[in-house]
Amino acid sequence: MEPESLGAEQGASLPGPADELGTLLGQDAALPKLSGGELESKSDLIDDKEFDIPQVDTPPTLESILNETDDEEESFVLEDPSLLNIDNIDTHSYDTSSLASSDSGDRTHSKRKKKLPDSFSLHGSVVRLSLLKGISAQIVSAADKVDAGLPTAIAASSLIAVGTSHGLALIFDPNQALRLCLGSTAVGAQYGAISALSINNDCSRLLCGFAKGQITMWDLASGKLLRSITDAHPPGTAILHIKFTDDPTLAICNDSGGSVFELSFKRVMGVRTCESRCLFSGSKGEVCCIEPLHAKTELRDHPITQYSLLAMASLTKILVIGLKPSLKVWMTFPYGRMDPSSVPLLAWHFVAAQNSVNPMLAFCRGDVVHFLLVKRDDSGAIHVTKQKQLHLHYDLINFTWINSRTVVLLDSVEKLHMIDRQTQEELETIEISEVQLVYNSSHFKSLATGGNVSQALALVGERACYQSISSCGGQIFYLGTKSVHVMMIRSWRERVDHLLKQDCLTEALALAWSFHEGKAKAVVGLSGDANKRKSVLADRMVEILFHYADRTLKKCPDQGKIQVMEQHFQDMVPVIVDYCLLLQRTDLLFSQMYDKLSENSVAKGVFLECLEPYILSDKLMGMTAQVMKDLLLHYQDKNLMEDMEACIVHMDITSLDIQQVVLLCWENHLYDAMIYVYNSGMNDFISPMEKLFKVIAPPLNAGKSLTDEKVVMGNKLLVYISCCLAGRAYPLGDIPEDLVPLVKNQVFEFLIRLHSAEASADEEVYPYVRTLLHFDTREFLNVLALTFEDFKNDKQAVEYQQRIVDILLKVMVENSDFTPSQVGCLFTFLARQLAKPNNTLFVNRTLFDQVLEFLCSPDDDSRHSERQQVLLELLQAGGIVQFEENRLIPMAEKAEFYQICEFMYEREHLYDKIIDCYLRDPVRKELLLLSPNKAADLIATHFNDQIEGIIKNLQDQFLLFQFLRSLLDPREGINQDMLQISPCVTEQFIELLCHYNPDHVLETLQVLEFYRLEETIQITQKHLLHEASSYLLEKKGDIHGAFLVMLEQLRSKLLMLTCEIEESTELHLLKDIEDTLVKTIALCQRNSHSLNQQQREALWFPLLEAMMSPQKLSSSTVLCQYSEPLKSLTMQVLNNMAAFIALPSILQRILQVSSRGRENIVSIQDPVYGRGKLGEIQGLVLGMLDTFNYEQTLLETTTNLLNHDLHWSLCNLRASITRGLNPKQDYCCICLQQYKRRQEMADEIIVFSCGHLYHSLCLLSKECGIETKGQMRWTCYKCNSSNKGGKLSENFSELKKGNGASLAQTSSESLLDSQQIQAFDQLCRLYRGTSRLALLTELSRTHGGEKHGLLNVSQGDPALNSVFQNENFQLHLTPPPLTEE
């Protein structure tokens, strides 16, 4: 800061080298350097090194950098340009004075990005917007009393400065008191409105920029004018921006010409001066926004502050330059495609990122905000790295940092958006249209100086509000036309209280919890220490919870149904429980909160039920005895026994009356809960088993079946025993490790007791093992098997295993009340245990022999399959080592245990005996049932001579059908040549096929070979399969009979149309008629070429009559809706029969009255036609004529096209043949001598179209000449020899002969060589598809045939191979228009 001076009121602006440099940046001007004497004399005022700018040879100019193309090497290079979404466009397209090529600024056309997530409900009210009433009132008062005019600009620091339209600057202190009124209306009349303001860091100086270009500096302590600067920039341009830097002697200004100037303030011999240096001239592009980097006091020593960075935004690019120690460009960045009316915005802020604090520049123009992190490395170079972009769905007119994590955006419709930068979450939106924000449009248009600005800059200025918004210390000030508003972030306590005032207690608790967990955004007023933060928030949340509980009880509906009250508390009470448990305040929950809610019985019940999910998820393990007791009583009263049981097994019940809880559980059949209470409450694992055994043992010992409830008890008992032996707690968790061995021993000792505690005199030994074996032998043995797996190989475990095995054998083998399946399960279990490699069990082998005798007992036929299955499982489990194989197989065969025999035979690889067992086993399915296809293949391969006998033995007709289909249908894959089957077998298959699958008879007949036609026709007629019968009759040669079958089928379907039918079947019936007609027409077409004219008429005329007859029933209303489809089908018949019947004959048959004199000719006897109603058939006749005209037009057009193409092709061919030949050399390609060397008359010169030249005698010597019909045909020796490896095509020469230089043709007919043929092929390839010469050839070949030759496509017809049958052959001709009836 410069020292006080009372000697001069203002200083003159001294022109110097800097002015010339600023104006002529494109020239090689030297940077200004103060002289040594000047520096020496002023050493007490300024720092020499700071203001000494070193000499450079060719300094860089900012205009040249701005005008560089984007692909030139810049100091800032994007690693991934796609991240910033920059289009490759002309970056200078909007730096012109013409806007004809740009849009009008309407942003509705622009493409919007996706909206940010709506998260207002999560954050409450984050922002507080307040009216500064004192300042606002004094602004209005100044306008009225001293003619200050309307406010135009604002700057905020520890003081607030407001500029007015009449040139006054009003200075307010933090208490909104007017401290100074700087300037006068007289000066305002000369300078115009204040267009920009700036206060320096220590709030001692104020810079004012005016609409007519002047700049003034004021002392804010004394209110004195220190400088009035009039020549710092070109005259006639308004000041758009003026900014102090962190250096109090350096400021930056930006005028409406788009130029940027550096202002350096000095005092020389007590005189204040200002030196101006042009940083950027707006002659080639306007800068409309500047932003120097400001550092807070605590960051003044940051290494990057020594560069005095300045960000500038032109209409096309962003630049970051360093003013110190010398001018240097550190980064350039183009916008890409954007709306020309959008406002460029810049904003700096220091942020903590990557373990360091560095400045971040935010810039945008439109709806995408870019963030660039600026760092300085150890070498002193500055590096810029891009950060995550912010995509918006609105255009911005202001961007302000409120802190390092939060930004405030103002969109073009004056809505404020507060956004968390890191998560890009929108925290709140506020409408500020009431502020009536001041816009700087008049200054951007420079109206005070005549509006001498470019249209591009004026368009941007329409929404510019740079000078109306100022931020300081986390507050943002908004200048309105009659007011000043301030926006700030609410503290955490304010945000919570704001929700409480609105009676949003649930939202307040959620917000407070987000503060507690450190997940909230834009947090102000909380300690950084996590423990302190949580403590403060927990206390506040407890206060809210008490208030919430009081309001819950207070707002409970006093009247109405009990369901309404329950719903009220179900909505409210869980919130209290949730937050008490989240805060781990169970003391509060079960004391004060529970006492409060217990005042209402409904609230108390809801509270207790709310605890269930926390209990089940083990989040609430312990609770007071009173609450636990109330919980059990509540569930018992509401009969929620299953829920109560689920809760008990998760609770610590040591504080309850154990006996009372056990009794409660037993009475309500809560066996899981009872077991849990015994185990966890008293460490008693035996009593639950005793209680359960007492219930299920008596009915099992008496041979009675158990009820469903007792079955459930038995299953729970088995699971409980399994858990105890495995060391797991029942029904969940684990037994304490120190109790596991004790519990296992207790359970084993209990199971193997000789008698129960209260045994009667007639009780059998080992009652518990016996009961479990009777209940579920397999599962009990599985439990023991799992237990044996866990046993360690110590002495006690081995003794337990052997002892329980001995008991099992004693109980089951010595008693006859166990089924074979149960006995088998026991020995299967024993076999698995004995088969283990570390087995220590001993079982007497004679017991296995007894089991084998028992299972294979031939005297007992009951449970045959069960006994066989048990023995098979025993063998597969490893029990086979316990038996003698030579004894086992005979016993199995005797008992008819064929699966046992197969198992044994497979071990001995006796596969032939396995097949015998399979065939003898009555349980096994027949081969045909398993796979008819494979069975047929097997029989055809190995039992070909027994097929007919097998067929006779098959009684099941459907099985016989499947077998014959697999055997006889060639599509099934069996070779028919190897079969020796009589035709009657095939006919039997056809009859079965007609019965079981009639839809596939026709296609099967077409592939079958060995059947008799007469017998097969009778079969198909018997089953009324008309199409199959027609096919067989045609195959027999009875064409007329086949036709009559199809005709009768067609007539029957047409007859159905005359009846009233449902609408759903109409389309289906028409489809059937069309299909039958198509098949009938195909039958007639296939056979017409082999019939005479009379026989053809016998086919086609009845078909035509059949189709026309329904149309003549004019009285039938049913047929009206089918008239069009029937006419179309009739035309189809006429078009097809026209290829075989002469057209006059067809017309005569349609029109003539019944002709009785002719014999053997089918005629149409129609009373309607007999009465001469030609109108009835007008459509048919006109359709036939149209078809004839179309075909005639087609033929004439095709012939004309072919004749034209033939003429064109022959003309080009003639031109190719008659053109002159140009030899490549003047010597023979064989003898290599000049062609003039010989004077023999017999020697001729032969020139080929390929350019090679030969003597005729040389060609003859190489055998390249062939005499045909007295004419020599020559081939080029050189070309012919080069093609010896592939196909050789003769190169016919055009013979030129003569003496000396004269050459003459010797051939009377034109012959083509290879190159001429190639040229002709190129001509042909000019046309896609089939050659038109080929078409003409085809027409010529068929021209002499019959009249219908072109249209008749039949079997064996040579036309099948013609070009007309090519699938690529197309003639795109428009058919003649249809004649309206």
Side-chain angles (χ1 to χ4, degrees):
M1 175 181 173
E2 55 192 11
E4 290 287 340
S5 174
L6 300 175
E9 289 297 320
Q10 64 183 30
S13 175
L14 302 178
D19 298 298
E20 299 176 10
L21 174 66
T23 308
L24 304 171
L25 268 172
Q27 304 175 6
D28 294 335
L31 290 174
K33 182 176 182 181
L34 298 177
S35 65
E38 191 176 7
L39 285 171
E40 199 172 55
S41 63
K42 305 302 175 189
S43 60
D44 59 331
L45 298 178
I46 58 175
D47 186 350
D48 299 345
K49 294 182 179 179
E50 181 178 1
F51 291 93
D52 185 12
I53 301 176
Q55 186 81 21
V56 294
D57 295 329
T58 54
T61 65
L62 295 185
E63 288 95 329
S64 64
I65 294 167
L66 266 173
N67 293 315
E68 286 174 352
T69 56
D70 292 343
D71 57 356
E72 292 187 38
E73 185 177 359
E74 302 284 358
S75 58
F76 173 70
V77 180
L78 290 175
E79 292 110 5
D80 184 6
S82 65
L83 291 176
L84 290 176
N85 194 23
I86 297 172
D87 300 324
N88 294 322
I89 65 169
D90 180 9
T91 58
H92 307 290
S93 59
Y94 299 128
D95 277 358
T96 65
S97 59
S98 171
L99 289 176
S101 61
S102 63
D103 58 62
S104 63
D106 179 13
R107 298 177 308 283
T108 57
H109 72 281
S110 60
K111 182 179 180 182
R112 292 302 184 199
K113 311 298 184 299
K114 61 182 180 180
K115 292 189 177 183
L116 292 170
D118 183 8
S119 302
F120 303 133
S121 59
L122 300 177
H123 309 288
S125 178
V126 183
V127 172
R128 182 176 74 247
L129 184 67
S130 304
L131 171 67
L132 297 180
K133 296 180 180 179
I135 296 178
S136 301
Q138 293 178 78
I139 289 174
V140 175
S141 177
D144 293 338
K145 294 181 180 180
V146 298
D147 194 23
L150 296 175
T152 56
I154 189 171
S157 181
S158 56
L159 299 175
I160 298 175
V162 177
T164 70
S165 60
H166 290 175
L168 298 182
L170 308 178
I171 311 301
F172 300 91
D173 63 14
N175 296 320
Q176 303 187 46
L178 181 62
R179 180 173 169 183
L180 294 170
C181 179
L182 306 177
S184 64
T185 55
V187 176
Q190 181 184 356
Y191 289 177
I194 291 180
S195 57
L197 293 171
S198 180
I199 301 175
N200 65 355
N201 284 332
D202 60 1
C203 206
S204 62
R205 296 288 186 268
L206 172 69
L207 280 174
C208 300
F210 289 86
K212 293 185 179 180
Q214 295 82 356
I215 300 172
T216 60
M217 178 185 283
W218 299 86
D219 185 339
L220 291 177
S222 63
K224 292 182 179 180
L225 177 65
L226 302 180
R227 290 180 174 84
S228 182
I229 307 166
T230 58
D231 55 356
H233 66 102
T237 56
I239 298 296
L240 300 182
H241 301 274
I242 188 159
K243 304 274 187 179
F244 271 112
T245 65
D246 282 345
D247 180 358
T249 65
L250 202 62
I252 310 295
C253 77
N254 174 208
D255 62 19
S256 60
S259 301
V260 180
F261 294 86
E262 177 189 76
L263 306 180
S264 179
F265 307 118
K266 301 179 181 178
R267 283 186 70 179
V268 180
M269 299 181 65
V271 178
R272 290 185 173 87
T273 63
C274 175
E275 293 184 356
S276 172
R277 177 172 65 153
C278 182
L279 300 178
F280 167 64
S281 173
S283 59
K284 292 186 179 180
E286 300 97 334
V287 170
C288 55
C289 182
I290 60 173
E291 193 66 42
L293 173 61
H294 290 288
K296 295 181 180 179
T297 306
E298 60 270 18
L299 292 172
R300 292 288 166 82
D301 296 330
H302 195 284
I304 209 164
T305 58
Q306 63 183 320
Y307 295 100
S308 190
L309 294 181
L310 171 67
M312 300 189 298
S314 77
L315 296 178
T316 57
K317 286 187 178 182
I318 298 293
L319 288 93
V320 176
I321 65 174
L323 302 177
K324 298 179 181 179
S326 61
L327 187 66
K328 185 171 182 180
V329 178
W330 289 110
M331 185 272 287
T332 62
F333 190 90
Y335 294 121
R337 193 178 304 277
M338 74 292 179
D339 185 347
S341 66
S342 56
V343 182
L345 302 172
L346 295 169
W348 288 98
H349 203 282
F350 281 85
V351 299
Q354 302 171 359
N355 300 322
S356 62
V357 177
N358 288 292
M360 179 176 285
L361 175 64
F363 70 90
C364 77
R365 187 176 183 190
D367 58 0
V368 179
V369 182
H370 303 276
F371 295 96
L372 301 179
L373 188 64
V374 182
K375 290 183 178 180
R376 175 185 179 274
D377 63 13
D378 296 336
S379 66
I382 290 179
H383 298 279
V384 181
T385 56
K386 56 189 175 302
Q387 306 295 306
K388 187 177 181 181
Q389 298 174 356
L390 176 61
H391 292 270
L392 308 168
H393 60 279
Y394 41 81
D395 283 340
L396 295 185
I397 59 174
N398 181 260
F399 180 101
T400 309
W401 293 89
I402 200 164
N403 58 43
S404 60
R405 289 195 49 150
T406 313
V407 297
V408 177
L409 313 178
L410 179 62
D411 65 19
S412 56
V413 294
E414 297 189 2
K415 279 187 179 179
L416 282 179
H417 304 263
M418 174 169 281
I419 293 179
D420 183 78
R421 181 185 62 83
Q422 292 182 344
T423 63
Q424 300 194 357
E425 185 177 0
E426 189 166 86
L427 307 180
E428 190 172 2
T429 300
I430 298 178
E431 178 77 47
I432 65 163
S433 57
E434 62 180 16
V435 173
Q436 296 182 349
L437 195 67
V438 172
Y439 286 87
N440 313 133
S441 307
S442 62
H443 309 315
F444 272 78
K445 296 177 181 178
S446 196
L447 298 181
T449 59
N452 52 341
V453 298
S454 71
Q455 292 188 26
L457 187 63
L459 183 62
V460 170
E462 290 289 345
R463 294 185 294 176
C465 56
Y466 297 109
Q467 305 305 323
S468 307
I469 301 173
S470 180
S471 64
C472 177
Q475 296 177 320
I476 305 176
F477 296 88
Y478 295 93
L479 180 64
T481 56
K482 295 181 180 180
S483 62
V484 176
H485 286 72
V486 62
M487 191 214 75
M488 63 186 72
I489 299 179
R490 299 178 188 268
S491 70
W492 72 270
R493 197 177 292 275
E494 282 184 273
R495 289 166 65 179
V496 173
D497 292 342
H498 180 75
L499 290 172
L500 292 176
K501 289 177 183 177
Q502 296 180 347
D503 208 24
C504 300
L505 272 68
T506 305
E507 290 79 1
L509 285 168
L511 181 61
W513 179 250
S514 68
F515 290 139
H516 184 279
E517 294 299 293
K519 296 179 180 179
K521 306 291 191 305
V523 183
V524 175
L526 275 178
S527 170
D529 182 77
N531 293 328
K532 290 183 179 179
R533 181 187 76 237
K534 291 186 176 182
S535 176
V536 171
L537 265 304
D539 292 342
R540 182 61 177 143
M541 290 183 69
V542 169
E543 295 174 9
I544 299 173
L545 284 171
F546 277 117
H547 178 48
Y548 188 86
D550 292 337
R551 196 189 72 161
T552 299
L553 294 171
K554 184 178 179 181
K555 290 199 172 184
C556 174
D558 297 331
Q559 299 177 352
K561 296 182 179 179
I562 191 69
Q563 290 86 353
V564 177
M565 296 179 64
E566 285 182 350
Q567 185 61 48
H568 168 73
F569 287 116
Q570 285 171 2
D571 294 338
M572 307 293 282
V573 173
V575 177
I576 299 174
V577 179
D578 284 341
Y579 285 108
C580 284
L581 293 177
L582 286 173
L583 293 171
Q584 299 179 355
R585 293 294 304 272
T586 53
D587 57 330
L588 175 68
L589 179 66
F590 295 129
S591 56
Q592 294 164 282
M593 289 296 175
Y594 183 60
D595 293 342
K596 271 182 178 293
L597 296 174
S598 296
E599 297 173 5
N600 186 299
S601 59
V602 178
K604 179 180 178 181
V606 172
F607 176 87
L608 293 171
E609 291 175 15
C610 286
L611 302 178
E612 180 181 346
Y614 297 99
I615 295 172
L616 298 182
S617 59
D618 295 326
K619 294 179 181 177
L620 183 60
M621 297 295 293
M623 59 183 75
T624 62
Q626 182 61 43
V627 176
M628 193 176 297
K629 181 179 179 182
D630 290 347
L631 177 67
L632 297 180
L633 290 175
H634 173 74
Y635 276 101
Q636 188 176 12
D637 291 342
K638 299 197 73 173
N639 197 27
L640 301 172
M641 306 315 297
E642 292 183 1
D643 296 335
M644 182 172 72
E645 183 178 36
C647 290
I648 289 175
V649 299
H650 285 82
M651 292 193 307
D652 180 9
I653 45 82
T654 53
S655 58
L656 292 181
D657 185 344
I658 301 297
Q659 295 300 328
Q660 182 181 357
V661 176
V662 169
L663 181 61
L664 175 68
C665 295
W666 185 258
E667 290 176 350
N668 294 282
H669 312 295
L670 307 180
Y671 305 116
D672 289 351
M674 181 199 70
I675 295 172
Y676 174 80
V677 172
Y678 270 115
N679 293 170
S680 61
M682 298 182 290
N683 285 337
D684 183 356
F685 293 85
I686 303 303
S687 296
M689 288 192 285
E690 289 180 336
K691 294 179 73 69
L692 293 175
F693 270 117
K694 287 180 180 178
V695 177
I696 65 172
L700 287 174
N701 294 332
K704 298 179 181 178
S705 60
L706 297 179
T707 62
D708 292 341
E709 181 184 344
K710 292 180 180 178
V711 170
V712 170
M713 293 173 65
N715 288 328
K716 288 183 182 293
L717 179 60
L718 277 176
V719 176
Y720 174 54
I721 293 172
S722 175
C723 289
C724 291
L725 295 178
R728 296 191 303 274
Y730 181 85
L732 47 89
D734 292 304
I735 299 174
E737 291 186 8
D738 55 334
L739 292 178
V740 171
L742 176 63
V743 171
K744 285 187 177 182
N745 291 339
Q746 287 180 354
V747 173
F748 262 115
E749 290 293 342
F750 173 77
L751 290 177
I752 62 178
R753 285 181 186 175
L754 191 62
H755 289 287
S756 58
E758 301 174 359
S760 60
D762 57 345
E763 182 185 67
E764 299 188 49
V765 293
Y766 307 114
Y768 301 130
V769 172
R770 187 183 304 275
T771 300
L772 290 174
L773 287 172
H774 275 298
F775 176 73
D776 194 332
T777 308
R778 187 182 297 274
E779 290 304 323
F780 177 54
L781 293 175
N782 286 340
V783 169
L784 294 179
L786 291 173
T787 306
F788 288 175
E789 293 286 345
D790 295 337
F791 268 0
K792 297 178 181 177
N793 245 345
D794 55 15
K795 184 176 181 182
Q796 185 180 16
V798 171
E799 289 178 356
Y800 269 127
Q801 290 184 52
Q802 186 63 54
R803 188 174 176 188
I804 200 165
V805 166
D806 292 342
I807 291 173
L808 290 172
L809 290 171
K810 182 175 181 62
V811 170
M812 294 196 74
V813 175
E814 295 180 2
N815 287 273
S816 59
D817 53 350
F818 289 97
T819 65
S821 178
Q822 291 174 313
V823 176
C825 285
L826 171 62
F827 280 90
T828 301
F829 162 75
L830 294 176
R832 288 196 179 103
Q833 299 302 318
L834 294 173
K836 291 181 179 178
N838 56 351
N839 171 56
T840 57
L841 294 176
F842 171 75
V843 178
N844 192 343
R845 189 164 181 172
T846 57
L847 291 175
F848 281 91
D849 292 336
Q850 293 177 13
V851 170
L852 181 62
E853 291 283 353
F854 171 69
L855 295 177
C856 296
S857 173
D859 299 332
D860 184 11
D861 291 333
S862 63
R863 305 193 181 202
H864 179 273
S865 60
E866 179 186 348
R867 289 186 284 112
Q868 179 177 219
Q869 188 62 32
V870 167
L871 182 56
L872 184 61
E873 290 180 6
L874 177 58
L875 296 177
Q876 291 172 342
I880 191 169
V881 298
Q882 308 295 333
F883 301 108
E884 296 179 5
E885 294 187 16
N886 55 359
R887 181 168 177 264
L888 176 60
I889 294 176
M891 292 186 68
E893 290 179 346
K894 186 176 181 181
E896 296 182 353
F897 288 173
Y898 295 111
Q899 294 183 42
I900 305 297
C901 295
E902 290 175 30
F903 177 80
M904 299 302 299
Y905 290 146
E906 187 176 3
R907 287 172 53 87
E908 298 176 7
H909 306 291
L910 301 175
Y911 299 109
D912 54 338
K913 293 188 176 182
I914 292 178
I915 296 176
D916 185 57
C917 290
Y918 192 98
L919 295 176
R920 292 168 59 192
D921 192 349
V923 179
R924 299 297 178 88
K925 293 182 179 180
E926 296 182 10
L927 293 176
L928 284 173
L929 288 176
L930 291 177
S931 175
N933 199 338
K934 292 184 178 180
D937 190 18
L938 176 68
I939 292 172
T941 305
H942 300 287
F943 308 100
N944 195 1
D945 54 343
Q946 303 178 28
I947 290 178
E948 295 190 12
I950 293 172
I951 291 172
K952 292 179 181 178
N953 290 329
L954 281 174
Q955 302 298 324
D956 189 336
Q957 292 297 302
F958 184 71
L959 200 60
L960 176 61
F961 162 65
Q962 290 182 304
F963 171 67
L964 290 176
R965 181 175 60 183
S966 301
L967 188 69
L968 300 178
D969 195 333
R971 293 168 296 183
E972 298 292 334
I974 295 178
N975 186 3
Q976 301 296 306
D977 297 333
M978 58 186 284
L979 298 177
Q980 300 176 3
I981 300 176
S982 63
C984 61
V985 175
T986 307
E987 292 155 12
Q988 185 179 5
F989 164 59
I990 293 172
E991 185 159 12
L992 291 171
L993 184 65
C994 292
H995 179 70
Y996 290 108
N997 200 350
D999 294 336
H1000 291 77
V1001 172
L1002 180 59
E1003 61 185 52
T1004 306
L1005 287 173
Q1006 292 170 349
V1007 298
L1008 287 178
E1009 297 180 4
F1010 306 108
Y1011 59 86
R1012 295 169 294 184
L1013 288 176
E1014 289 293 343
E1015 286 75 4
T1016 309
I1017 290 172
Q1018 294 177 8
I1019 294 172
T1020 55
Q1021 289 176 345
K1022 172 184 173 183
H1023 290 86
L1024 302 178
L1025 299 178
H1026 304 290
E1027 292 182 20
S1029 301
S1030 175
Y1031 168 77
L1032 292 172
L1033 288 169
E1034 184 183 4
K1035 189 174 183 180
K1036 178 184 174 183
D1038 187 0
I1039 308 301
H1040 194 72
F1043 170 74
L1044 290 178
V1045 171
M1046 294 300 294
L1047 183 64
E1048 185 61 32
Q1049 180 72 3
L1050 179 63
R1051 285 174 173 168
S1052 63
K1053 291 181 179 179
L1054 287 169
L1055 185 61
M1056 292 176 64
L1057 281 180
T1058 61
C1059 305
E1060 295 288 342
I1061 56 176
E1062 295 182 4
E1063 186 177 354
S1064 59
T1065 61
E1066 292 175 359
L1067 294 177
H1068 181 69
L1069 181 57
L1070 284 173
K1071 180 66 177 171
D1072 283 349
I1073 292 174
E1074 184 177 0
D1075 291 343
T1076 305
L1077 179 62
V1078 168
K1079 293 173 183 176
T1080 309
I1081 291 174
L1083 171 66
C1084 296
Q1085 285 180 324
R1086 283 196 303 270
N1087 297 281
S1088 289
H1089 70 280
S1090 61
L1091 302 176
N1092 57 33
Q1093 186 69 19
Q1094 184 177 353
Q1095 292 170 330
R1096 292 176 185 173
E1097 293 177 356
L1099 292 182
W1100 289 102
F1101 285 161
L1103 181 59
L1104 179 62
E1105 179 189 4
M1107 290 306 302
M1108 292 178 63
S1109 58
Q1111 302 178 54
K1112 296 191 289 289
L1113 298 176
S1114 57
S1115 60
S1116 176
T1117 57
V1118 180
L1119 288 171
C1120 295
Q1121 54 184 324
Y1122 308 128
S1123 59
E1124 290 302 322
L1126 289 176
K1127 284 182 180 180
S1128 175
L1129 294 177
T1130 306
M1131 283 303 302
Q1132 188 175 349
V1133 175
L1134 288 171
N1135 289 337
N1136 283 279
M1137 69 186 294
F1140 305 99
I1141 309 295
L1143 185 59
S1145 180
I1146 297 174
L1147 292 174
Q1148 182 181 2
R1149 292 298 173 180
I1150 292 176
L1151 297 174
Q1152 76 173 13
V1153 185
S1154 177
S1155 177
R1156 297 182 178 83
R1158 301 181 59 182
E1159 298 178 0
N1160 300 326
I1161 295 179
V1162 178
S1163 61
I1164 301 176
Q1165 299 181 3
D1166 192 295
V1168 177
Y1169 298 150
R1171 291 194 295 269
K1173 291 187 179 180
L1174 186 59
E1176 297 290 336
I1177 59 167
Q1178 180 183 1
L1180 297 178
V1181 175
L1182 290 177
M1184 294 168 62
L1185 293 175
D1186 287 341
T1187 303
F1188 170 76
N1189 290 333
Y1190 171 70
E1191 292 176 351
Q1192 185 180 27
T1193 304
L1194 178 65
L1195 182 60
E1196 291 175 355
T1197 305
T1198 306
T1199 305
N1200 289 336
L1201 287 172
L1202 293 174
N1203 289 339
H1204 177 272
D1205 290 348
L1206 177 62
H1207 178 267
W1208 179 85
S1209 301
L1210 291 177
C1211 286
N1212 284 278
L1213 181 60
R1214 182 176 179 276
S1216 300
I1217 293 174
T1218 57
R1219 73 176 183 272
L1221 300 180
N1222 181 25
K1224 294 180 180 179
Q1225 64 281 323
D1226 59 353
Y1227 56 85
C1228 175
C1229 292
I1230 296 177
C1231 66
L1232 302 180
Q1233 297 185 21
Q1234 292 287 334
Y1235 66 87
K1236 298 179 180 180
R1237 68 172 173 80
R1238 301 180 184 177
Q1239 299 299 323
E1240 295 90 346
M1241 293 299 297
D1243 199 5
E1244 295 177 340
I1245 306 302
I1246 310 298
V1247 180
F1248 291 92
S1249 61
C1250 58
H1252 296 138
L1253 180 146
Y1254 302 94
H1255 295 107
S1256 59
L1257 296 178
C1258 293
L1259 282 176
L1260 286 174
S1261 67
K1262 296 297 183 179
E1263 298 180 353
C1264 291
I1266 302 174
E1267 185 173 358
T1268 304
K1269 298 180 180 179
Q1271 176 67 43
M1272 289 299 297
R1273 298 178 61 186
W1274 303 98
T1275 57
C1276 177
Y1277 169 73
K1278 201 165 186 179
C1279 295
N1280 193 36
S1281 60
S1282 65
N1283 292 330
K1284 287 181 179 179
K1287 288 186 176 181
L1288 296 180
S1289 60
E1290 290 189 1
N1291 295 309
F1292 298 109
S1293 67
E1294 295 186 23
L1295 185 57
K1296 313 277 185 177
K1297 69 178 181 177
N1299 294 324
S1302 66
L1303 297 174
Q1305 285 190 354
T1306 61
S1307 175
S1308 60
E1309 55 181 339
S1310 298
L1311 300 176
L1312 302 182
D1313 63 12
S1314 61
Q1315 290 192 359
Q1316 292 168 337
I1317 293 174
Q1318 183 179 4
F1320 178 70
D1321 290 340
Q1322 290 177 351
L1323 294 176
C1324 293
R1325 280 196 295 272
L1326 292 176
Y1327 294 92
R1328 305 274 180 181
T1330 307
S1331 167
R1332 292 174 181 174
L1333 284 176
L1335 295 176
L1336 185 61
T1337 304
E1338 187 66 39
L1339 289 172
S1340 301
R1341 189 180 73 182
T1342 58
H1343 182 67
E1346 291 187 22
K1347 179 180 179 181
H1348 54 79
L1350 282 175
L1351 301 175
N1352 180 20
V1353 180
S1354 58
Q1355 297 179 353
D1357 197 328
L1360 284 172
N1361 298 322
S1362 73
V1363 294
F1364 301 115
Q1365 301 305 316
N1366 189 342
E1367 63 181 14
N1368 296 322
F1369 172 64
Q1370 292 182 349
L1371 284 177
H1372 299 285
L1373 299 175
T1374 304
L1378 295 176
T1379 303
E1380 295 183 359
E1381 296 183 7

